[in-house]
Amino acid sequence: MCGIAGQARCDGRPADRGLVEAMCDAIRHRGPDYRGIYCDEIAGLGIQRLRVIDLSTGDQPIFNEDRSVVVVLNGEIYNFVELRRRLEAAGHRFRTRSDTEVIVHLYEDLGPECVDQLDGMFAFALWDVGEQRLILARDRIGKKPLLYSEHDRGITFASEMSALVQDPEISRDLNLGAIDGYLALQYVPSPISVFESVRKLPPASVLTWQGGKTEIRRYWSVDRSVRSEQLSDRDLDERIRLEISDAVRRRLVSDVPLGAFLSGGIDSGAVVAAMAQNSSGPVKTFSIGFEDGDHSELPLARLVAERYSTEHHEFILKPDALAVIPSIVRRYGEPFADTSSVPSFIISRIAAGEVTVALNGDGGDESFAGYHRYIAQERLARFDGLPGPLRSAIAVAGNLGRSTGRDDGLIRRGSRFASLLGMSHIRRHEQLMSCFNRADRDDLYTDHFKEAVGESSVPRVFTEAWERTSGADLDLTGRLLAVDFETYLPGDLCAKIDIATMAYSLEARSPLLDHRLIEFAARIPSTQKIDQGQTKIALRRAVEPWLPQEVIAGPKRGFSIPAVGGWFKEDLRRSLNEIILDPRALDRGYFRPRSVRRLVDQNASGTADNGQKLWTLMMLELWHREFVDGPSSQATTCS
């Protein structure tokens, strides 16, 4: 696991080695073990390496036999042993034992299509010296990040924004539409970024740059049109367990110590169970919980740790843990407001003191239907047969219920349910996924900012993903799973765990995001995933022999901070006010001051729990102070 950075030029000037060094300095935390630089008259590649496989000979950049192809890799190639055997049989000569070297030899044989053969989590940059061609590629799921900026002088790329903006030729003018997207989703949706000149390479994509011209090819997508053969419950259970066990075993290859993040849920519990079954010694496990016992999963995690006799480590998250926020802001490089980034950072810091690689349970919800919003959508769909005018009238009544300002739970849930009835399936999904929904943002924005943003791109994010499922003959839940797989999973979850772990030089591996497991799960009918208000039916039943019954039957709690609204009422109220009500924040021209103050006052009085919204505003302002207000910034705002 590493950080990569570099550039290729088309203006007649040589690659700037000093810039590549500066970019590597900015991501030293991703790979403190070794720095490698390659520069010629056109291209420069840099790598900060965290040594995980082939500790002695695997330092990068790595070349082919005649040094006409050079590569830097962030991530792991899990099938490198099989690929190496095949390549050696074809006459290629290897000088290392690393997984990275298979890429240059595959490229010699297949060109940019070499990426189709790779199984892993990766982002790599490859420079073909003879063809003067740069290849940037990203793994199928989007587990490893890759940002880039094209300009008249060439192209610059990096694993993190803090490295990319070391290039003074990259404009820092803000993308106000991206800020609108952030306020809705709590992350900036791909492929745009918070800066107009910077983009994210989409998952499962290869970018080819040659002579100033760029092409992007998508090389993989989940085939959701294929239905699974009819399996009995018993056979399906065995197949799921086999797929999980195989995915875990592939991710146990390492020359450094491994461990696992263990929550009280079935996803990470299943991963730990499979690790224990495939390991010769005790597994090291790491859990984090909250003082609020109703939301803490530590007791359930402890049951799994005890069953498998793991070497278990626990941590209680308290308000003082928010001292990690400046690091979160700096490392993400964009506004990012998923509160689970805080426990993710803390548990990564704890684990990094014991291991170099940590497996986790990410991906189970997106493959096996673990979110309650899928249940809500199925229930709402039962009313779709009502006449349109009647559904619209109920929706109006729901909006009136919300306008009372009361935070009574029954009224709030009933009003929200009623307001969703008048929407299409994908608009409901957008509403359910939004922190600040359309109406909230309309009330929050100044007229000037609203005009500058123009038409919101948020609906398009969901609509485009929804429309790509139209030919797959999927039911409602199947289509929503596909939408989350293309939006929420890479935009939020994968970004969160990569940045949190790499902040502490820790490699995260996600067995449930194995593409073979994902493809198999996509063929399981939705009726075997959710029914009668129960989520993850097939997965729960499959891993029941592995886990305590309390874990199998336990409710989904999530990893977000449950008490953030309460913290803003008490421990952190003054800090919050000093950030989002500061004249610097209010004078940016984005938000109506009275709207911001109303959110603060409602939360303080208990009229409404605005914790997530206030967190989102706070993280945006802190990002501004770090990346916009700094002395080197040339960004423009809306003021």
Side-chain angles (χ1 to χ4, degrees):
M1 196 65 66
C2 311
I4 61 174
Q7 66 168 189
R9 304 192 69 98
C10 57
D11 61 352
R13 294 173 55 193
D16 185 345
R17 185 183 182 93
L19 170 62
V20 178
E21 293 274 8
M23 295 170 78
C24 286
D25 282 340
I27 52 174
R28 186 188 299 269
H29 55 279
R30 296 185 69 94
D33 295 335
Y34 178 82
R35 173 179 298 180
I37 302 288
Y38 167 87
C39 278
D40 62 22
E41 67 277 8
I42 295 176
L45 308 182
I47 175 82
Q48 287 291 148
R49 186 184 181 214
L50 179 66
R51 292 179 175 133
V52 174
I53 293 175
D54 187 9
L55 308 186
S56 57
T57 67
D59 288 338
Q60 306 176 40
I62 283 181
F63 301 83
N64 65 336
E65 293 92 336
D66 63 3
R67 298 179 70 87
S68 62
V69 180
V70 56
V71 70
V72 288
L73 166 72
N74 169 27
E76 304 290 351
I77 307 301
Y78 298 129
N79 64 334
F80 79 97
V81 174
E82 306 95 280
L83 292 173
R84 176 172 180 146
R85 289 196 192 107
R86 193 176 82 199
L87 290 163
E88 286 179 326
H92 290 277
R93 300 188 309 278
F94 282 71
R95 67 174 184 83
T96 77
R97 295 182 295 104
S98 76
D99 56 336
T100 306
E101 192 172 0
V102 300
I103 299 174
V104 292
H105 299 302
L106 270 178
Y107 177 82
E108 287 182 285
D109 288 355
L110 302 174
E113 285 72 28
C114 67
V115 70
D116 299 65
Q117 304 292 313
L118 302 177
D119 172 18
M121 56 172 184
F122 57 82
F124 70 77
L126 180 148
W127 177 241
D128 184 327
V129 179
E131 295 293 330
Q132 297 187 354
R133 177 166 62 185
L134 176 70
I135 306 295
L136 303 178
R138 198 169 173 212
D139 66 68
R140 290 172 174 81
I141 316 302
K143 288 176 276 190
K144 305 313 297 176
L146 194 54
L147 304 164
Y148 68 97
S149 178
E150 294 182 84
H151 39 78
D152 293 341
R153 299 156 301 282
I155 186 170
T156 308
F157 64 89
S159 295
E160 292 186 14
M161 188 72 77
S162 60
L164 198 69
V165 297
Q166 298 301 312
D167 186 348
E169 295 176 321
I170 294 177
S171 167
R172 292 209 206 178
D173 289 349
L174 298 185
N175 183 338
L176 300 183
I179 293 177
D180 173 67
Y182 160 78
L183 290 162
L185 305 178
Q186 299 182 291
Y187 64 90
V188 176
S190 180
I192 65 172
S193 86
V194 73
F195 296 120
E196 287 279 8
S197 61
V198 176
R199 295 181 72 80
K200 306 178 183 100
L201 184 64
S205 295
V206 179
L207 180 153
T208 301
W209 179 96
Q210 194 169 25
K213 296 182 179 180
T214 299
E215 292 183 359
I216 295 178
R217 173 180 72 93
R218 182 166 182 137
Y219 64 89
W220 177 85
S221 61
V222 181
D223 186 354
R224 299 180 184 273
S225 64
V226 180
R227 297 272 70 82
S228 177
E229 66 273 18
Q230 289 296 319
L231 298 175
S232 67
D233 287 351
R234 178 178 178 180
D235 289 343
L236 179 59
D237 294 349
E238 290 180 356
R239 179 68 183 277
I240 291 173
R241 288 194 295 269
L242 177 63
E243 292 287 347
I244 293 174
S245 185
D246 285 349
V248 167
R249 187 170 58 253
R250 281 190 287 271
R251 285 156 180 79
L252 294 181
V253 176
S254 174
D255 294 330
V256 294
L258 299 97
F261 294 161
L262 176 61
S263 72
I266 63 175
D267 298 336
S268 64
V271 169
V272 168
M275 286 182 72
Q277 294 160 14
N278 286 283
S279 301
S280 56
V283 176
K284 292 186 177 183
T285 53
F286 305 88
S287 300
I288 195 164
F290 309 101
E291 292 179 301
D292 181 355
D294 292 337
H295 290 91
S296 181
E297 292 187 309
L298 284 180
L300 294 177
R302 212 171 291 136
L303 291 176
V304 178
E306 291 169 355
R307 170 173 287 202
Y308 291 101
S309 301
T310 72
E311 186 179 319
H312 192 52
H313 306 259
E314 295 183 349
F315 184 84
I316 298 291
L317 191 72
K318 299 179 181 179
D320 59 5
L322 297 189
V324 76
I325 286 178
S327 180
I328 292 175
V329 172
R330 191 174 307 114
R331 297 300 181 224
Y332 279 102
E334 289 189 294
F336 188 79
D338 186 336
T339 60
S340 65
S341 60
V342 174
S344 296
F345 262 65
I346 299 297
I347 199 171
S348 296
R349 185 177 66 196
I350 295 167
E354 300 286 335
V355 298
T356 307
V357 176
L359 276 63
N360 62 67
D362 287 355
D365 291 319
E366 289 74 22
S367 286
F368 293 96
Y371 296 119
H372 290 291
R373 58 178 172 267
Y374 305 137
I375 299 289
Q377 284 269 30
E378 292 283 356
R379 289 173 175 168
L380 283 160
R382 297 172 188 169
F383 294 86
D384 287 346
L386 293 176
L390 178 57
R391 285 191 290 126
S392 297
I394 296 173
V396 170
N399 289 329
L400 290 174
R402 284 209 311 273
S403 67
T404 63
R406 292 178 57 190
D407 195 39
D408 178 87
L410 185 59
I411 291 177
R412 185 174 67 252
R413 289 192 297 272
S415 297
R416 190 181 194 197
F417 187 89
S419 66
L420 290 168
L421 280 180
M423 302 179 184
S424 66
H425 296 306
I426 196 59
R427 290 286 74 79
R428 289 170 187 166
H429 194 64
E430 176 192 338
Q431 187 86 349
L432 290 168
M433 294 297 293
S434 292
C435 177
F436 286 93
N437 61 35
R438 294 191 199 185
D440 294 331
R441 301 200 303 278
D442 188 62
D443 178 71
L444 180 66
Y445 293 171
T446 64
D447 291 341
H448 183 48
F449 184 59
K450 199 177 302 182
E451 181 181 354
V453 169
E455 182 180 357
S456 175
S457 63
V458 175
R460 189 167 65 250
V461 169
F462 293 103
T463 300
E464 290 178 354
W466 175 263
E467 290 177 348
R468 282 192 287 272
T469 68
S470 59
D473 190 28
L474 296 173
D475 60 14
L476 175 58
T477 298
R479 295 187 77 175
L480 294 173
L481 284 166
V483 169
D484 277 347
F485 184 83
E486 291 199 18
T487 57
Y488 179 65
L489 176 65
D492 187 313
L493 298 184
C494 290
K496 175 189 67 181
I497 198 65
D498 173 80
I499 295 296
T501 53
M502 293 310 299
Y504 298 99
S505 308
L506 178 70
E507 175 175 305
R509 298 180 181 177
S510 306
L512 301 187
L513 289 177
D514 183 281
H515 76 274
R516 282 168 292 254
L517 175 58
I518 288 168
E519 290 171 336
F520 171 71
R523 299 196 295 270
I524 300 173
S526 297
T527 53
Q528 293 183 276
K529 295 178 180 178
I530 63 169
D531 189 42
Q532 301 295 320
Q534 178 67 279
T535 60
K536 283 187 187 169
I537 294 172
L539 183 61
R540 288 177 191 274
R541 192 183 62 233
V543 300
E544 191 168 1
W546 288 359
L547 300 174
Q549 186 57 37
E550 295 91 333
V551 174
I552 295 295
K556 182 174 179 60
R557 293 186 176 91
F559 208 34
S560 299
I561 301 174
V564 65
W567 288 357
F568 285 149
K569 287 170 63 175
E570 299 166 1
D571 306 74
L572 303 176
R573 183 175 179 179
R574 180 176 177 181
S575 297
L576 173 72
N577 292 351
E578 289 175 348
I579 295 170
I580 68 173
L581 295 178
D582 184 270
R584 277 187 294 174
L586 298 178
D587 290 347
R588 296 194 191 280
Y590 297 162
F591 311 133
R592 295 186 175 106
R594 62 172 176 79
S595 296
V596 178
R597 291 192 179 95
R598 183 170 65 247
L599 291 171
V600 173
D601 292 342
Q602 286 176 340
N603 193 77
S605 66
T607 305
D609 183 353
N610 292 328
Q612 291 293 330
K613 292 179 177 178
L614 295 174
W615 181 274
T616 301
L617 295 178
M618 181 185 73
M619 296 301 281
L620 175 62
E621 175 57 22
L622 291 175
W623 175 84
H624 258 281
R625 296 181 184 185
E626 177 73 25
F627 282 87
V628 178
D629 296 346
S632 62
S633 172
Q634 300 173 355
T636 58
T637 66
C638 194
S639 55

